[in-house]
């Protein structure tokens, strides 16, 4: 912490729709300091904070390997993996916001979930017993959350994953809704004012909808998906299996995206004055591609931190290719009619 001298003034009111100041106000930040002068350092960073800063610098260096000639892709890549602010043009910002896909640049449930799954899968591949695998997953995942800044969305996602994985440690039946409620309670005990923040309201609204509506809807659709019902599975060939597995994946993703779209639409209109019907289709494409990008980043870090930089360069190049594809698709898709509308209640 630091001792500053300056002028404290309220954040100016925005015209022409909500922007960054409105986002800060929703977080409870309604004042800013101007003409500031640093007087002294009241408390130096702790040992853990210094470790996190060094680790972030090291991870940033690994994720930059092979991307020196692709600064735009590298910026988006670091935003997705480390939570750094992406250098987006105004056109890109509008495209991602209006398509309902801007969430991929915030370390939140998608990122923490994919990284947690990658760590847990790695532990299983190493044949670790279940309980040590859960403990190692949560410890490494918390380090990742702390290194990336311990943002409120990331901490909320970590808490829910921790409660879900705790059922493995204590051999209890898993219950996603109970884990969600416990995570929300723990979040509010740590910071009660989060109840009034936009992020808390939107994230828990969407996740509750996914658990209470998305999962049952997906199960209903999957139960009705019976391709090649008259052909015994033992006689299936690879095209049959690809159709069966691909159909199940598409139905599951569609149920989740449809539910998230329904749950997030009122908040999107209320807070951002944008109604994005195109978000349903955009997220069906962007979320899988983003997940693959995060997996590539995880592989890059696992390989690069011990010094296997050629493998990191390969993973980074793959991620950059996917990021450029996502950017081009969104920039082209946002021009289609009916993708988004300005809206308000």
């Amino acid at each position: 912490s630091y001792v500053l001298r300056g002028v404290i003034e309220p954040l100016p009111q925005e015209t022409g729709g909500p922007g960054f100041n409105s986002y800060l106000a929703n977080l409870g930040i309604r004042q800013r300091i101007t003409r500031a002068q640093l007087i002294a350092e009241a408390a130096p960073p702790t040992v853990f904070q210094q470790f996190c800063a060094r680790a972030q610098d090291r991870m940033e260096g690994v994720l930059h390997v092979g991307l020196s000639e692709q600064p735009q892709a590298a910026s988006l890549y670091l935003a997705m993996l480390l939570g750094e602010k992406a250098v987006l043009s105004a056109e890109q910002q509008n495209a991602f916001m209006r398509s309902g896909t801007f969430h991929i640049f915030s370390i939140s449930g998608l990122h923490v979930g994919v990284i947690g799954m990658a760590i847990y899968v790695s532990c299983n591949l190493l044949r670790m017993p279940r309980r040590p695998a859960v403990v190692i997953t949560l410890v490494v995942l918390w380090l990742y959350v702390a290194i990336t800044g311990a943002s409120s969305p990331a901490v909320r996602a970590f808490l829910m994953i921790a409660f879900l994985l705790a059922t493995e440690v204590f051999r209890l039946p898993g219950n996603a809704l109970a884990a969600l409620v416990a995570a929300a309670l723990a979040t509010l005990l740590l910071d009660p004012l989060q109840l009034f923040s936009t992020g808390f309201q939107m994230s828990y609204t969407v996740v509750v909808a996914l658990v209470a509506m998305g999962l049952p809807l997906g199960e209903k659709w999957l139960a009705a998906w019976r391709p090649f019902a008259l052909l015994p599975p033992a006689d299936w060939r690879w095209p049959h299996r690809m159709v069966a597995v691909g159909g199940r994946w598409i139905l599951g993703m569609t149920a989740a995206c449809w539910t998230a779209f329904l749950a997030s639409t009122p908040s999107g209109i209320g807070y951002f004055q944008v109604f994005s019907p195109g978000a349903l289709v955009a997220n069906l494409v962007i979320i899988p591609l983003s997940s693959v990008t995060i997996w590539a980043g995880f592989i890059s870090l696992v390989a690069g931190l011990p010094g296997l930089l050629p493998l990191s360069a390969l993973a980074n190049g793959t991620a950059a290719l996917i990021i450029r594809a996502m950017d081009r698709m969104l920039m082209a898709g946002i021009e289609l009619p009916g993708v988004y509308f300005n809206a308000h209640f």
Side-chain angles (χ1 to χ4, degrees):
S1 59
Y2 299 92
V3 178
L4 300 174
R5 178 187 290 120
V7 177
I8 295 178
E9 58 185 28
L11 288 174
Q13 295 292 328
E14 294 179 324
T15 58
F20 186 65
N21 288 349
S22 300
Y23 169 76
L24 293 177
N26 286 324
L27 294 178
I29 303 172
R30 295 180 173 83
Q31 295 175 318
R32 66 180 181 182
I33 184 169
T34 61
R35 288 178 280 172
Q37 178 184 5
L38 178 63
I39 303 300
E41 184 181 57
T46 64
V47 174
F48 182 69
Q49 289 172 334
Q50 295 177 23
F51 164 78
C52 289
R54 291 193 301 269
Q56 187 176 45
D57 291 340
R58 173 63 176 154
M59 293 165 68
E60 181 177 340
V62 171
L63 295 175
H64 259 125
V65 174
L67 300 182
S68 58
E69 298 181 357
Q70 305 179 61
Q72 185 66 39
S75 173
L76 302 182
Y77 191 33
L78 290 176
M80 293 177 64
L81 268 298
L82 299 182
E84 296 190 8
K85 186 177 180 180
V87 182
L88 295 174
S89 65
E91 292 80 8
Q92 288 174 315
Q93 291 182 21
N94 289 333
F96 282 100
M97 183 184 70
R98 291 169 177 171
S99 64
T101 57
F102 204 86
H103 59 87
I104 66 173
F105 298 115
S106 170
I107 302 296
S108 56
L110 173 65
H111 307 72
V112 177
V114 172
I115 293 294
M117 180 187 300
I119 299 170
Y120 192 62
V121 168
S122 300
C123 292
N124 289 334
L125 291 176
L126 295 174
R127 302 292 185 180
M128 287 187 183
R130 181 176 298 178
R131 291 187 179 183
V134 170
V135 173
I136 291 174
T137 298
L138 291 179
V139 170
V140 176
L141 188 60
W142 173 248
L143 284 176
Y144 170 75
V145 170
I147 290 170
T148 56
S151 64
S152 296
V155 173
R156 289 195 296 265
F158 171 80
L159 287 173
M160 184 175 179
I161 293 172
F163 281 111
L164 275 174
L165 290 180
T167 62
E168 299 282 344
V169 176
F170 297 104
R171 299 184 182 277
L172 296 172
N175 188 314
L177 189 59
L180 177 64
V181 172
L185 177 61
T187 300
L188 293 177
L189 289 176
L190 292 172
D191 184 6
L193 290 179
Q194 281 208 35
L195 179 63
F196 307 101
S197 70
T198 303
F200 181 92
Q201 295 170 11
M202 291 187 69
S203 61
Y204 276 101
T205 298
V206 171
V207 178
V208 167
L210 287 173
V211 173
M213 178 180 168
L215 292 179
L217 180 62
E219 291 172 357
K220 182 176 181 179
W221 287 357
L222 292 176
W225 175 246
R226 299 180 60 194
F228 319 114
L230 301 180
L231 185 65
D235 294 334
W236 284 9
R237 298 181 181 274
W238 67 265
H240 302 97
R241 292 186 174 86
M242 286 187 62
V243 170
V245 174
R248 292 181 64 85
W249 181 82
I250 292 173
L251 288 174
M253 279 292 299
T254 303
C257 289
W258 172 242
T259 306
F261 169 73
L262 291 178
S264 62
T265 291
S267 300
I269 295 174
Y271 290 121
F272 306 114
Q273 298 182 3
V274 174
F275 172 50
S276 303
L280 177 60
V281 177
N283 279 293
L284 278 173
V285 177
I286 294 300
I287 289 179
L289 292 178
S290 300
S291 300
V292 174
T293 303
I294 297 170
W295 266 96
F298 175 78
I299 294 172
S300 174
L301 292 173
V302 170
L305 292 177
L308 301 176
L309 296 183
L311 184 56
S312 292
L314 178 61
N316 293 342
T318 303
L321 183 64
I322 297 173
I323 288 172
R324 291 201 304 271
M326 288 193 298
D327 185 32
R328 291 178 181 176
M329 284 189 291
L330 283 179
M331 295 297 289
I334 202 67
E335 301 297 331
L336 297 176
V339 172
Y340 74 93
F341 300 94
N342 295 322
H344 64 275
F345 292 115

